[in-house]
Amino acid sequence: MTGKERDRRITDLGMLKALAHPLRMKLYRGLTIARVATASQLAEQVDEAVSLVSYHLRKLAEHGLIEEAEPQSGDGRERWWQPASDGVSIRDEDFRDAPEKAAAHTAASRLFFEQRADMYRRFLDERTHWGKEWNAAAESSEAVLRLTAAELAELNKEMLALVSRYDEQGRAADTAGDTEGRETVAVHTYAFPFRA
């Protein structure tokens, strides 16, 4: 574990809006994966101008989502950034007390879903390049359960605890230099009620 706050809960509308910008979310995700990076490095990843990326990084920093990091090179002109926490969480209950807040939460949730769906589509398009081992390990499934709201909340809590355990294990291995065969893996879950 890095010692940073885990899954910082976003309750502020301004912070939510800062993150719910398509480019900013890509930059935040890229920075989460890299752990530390410069605007130049991130600009290359997202194929945007360094000046535009720098602007959006400053906006994320203004809202406390990212912060300056210790320089990783001797070039004093480079500004290094890192996430301010190990992940964020956004809960419906924090944005339902006003129509503007509820609308912003819905818009942000839709953006996050679309970006996650794009990540999965990219994997599907590139599947043949990952080889047998990764293809066998990758999973896409759907389970339709009959639960109460309390049972769904407990299921989510248990799944997040499991994901956190594997995250900590992977980070510890990286820190120890055990990087062979290790890739960045996205785990997306959606658990919601519906009526057929």
Side-chain angles (χ1 to χ4, degrees):
M1 196 67 174
T2 64
K4 290 184 182 180
E5 177 184 5
R6 178 91 193 155
D7 293 327
R8 175 185 290 164
R9 188 169 173 173
I10 294 178
T11 59
D12 176 71
L13 183 59
M15 187 182 278
L16 177 64
K17 286 181 175 182
L19 187 61
H21 179 283
L23 179 55
R24 288 183 199 148
M25 188 60 217
K26 284 182 183 177
L27 294 172
Y28 183 81
R29 183 177 287 114
L31 199 52
T32 298
I33 293 166
R35 298 197 184 132
V36 291
T38 64
S40 299
Q41 292 168 335
L42 292 168
E44 199 172 301
Q45 285 179 22
V46 298
D47 196 27
E48 293 287 351
V50 175
S51 58
L52 179 65
V53 167
S54 291
Y55 168 80
H56 286 293
L57 289 171
R58 287 192 306 274
K59 287 296 178 190
L60 289 169
E62 281 175 26
H63 290 278
L65 292 160
I66 67 171
E67 61 193 13
E68 284 195 58
E70 290 294 319
Q72 306 292 305
S73 69
D75 185 352
R77 296 171 297 157
E78 295 258 64
R79 195 172 186 185
W80 290 82
W81 297 97
Q82 65 186 8
S85 63
D86 282 333
V88 295
S89 70
I90 304 165
R91 299 186 185 156
D92 175 70
E93 64 205 52
D94 296 322
F95 296 97
R96 64 170 48 191
D97 61 336
E100 178 193 5
K101 288 173 138 183
H105 180 248
T106 297
S109 297
R110 286 178 181 275
L111 169 69
F112 303 152
F113 171 75
E114 288 302 325
Q115 287 190 347
R116 291 171 188 153
D118 286 344
M119 290 172 69
Y120 188 62
R121 283 185 199 102
R122 188 169 134 200
F123 165 73
L124 293 175
D125 292 344
E126 297 172 354
R127 178 181 270 169
T128 57
H129 303 290
W130 281 102
K132 280 197 279 187
E133 186 178 62
W134 281 106
N135 276 286
E139 176 69 22
S140 171
S141 62
E142 180 178 358
V144 179
L145 312 173
R146 295 283 297 164
L147 304 174
T148 65
E151 289 168 335
L152 177 56
E154 184 62 25
L155 173 63
N156 284 326
K157 184 178 174 184
E158 288 182 34
M159 287 192 312
L160 288 173
L162 180 63
V163 169
S164 291
R165 191 180 91 219
Y166 274 88
D167 181 35
E168 289 174 18
Q169 180 180 312
R171 287 174 185 259
D174 272 349
T175 300
D178 177 14
T179 58
E180 188 172 334
R182 201 167 290 284
E183 297 284 352
T184 302
V185 173
V187 177
H188 301 162
T189 63
Y190 303 96
F192 53 89
F194 72 96
R195 293 189 176 110

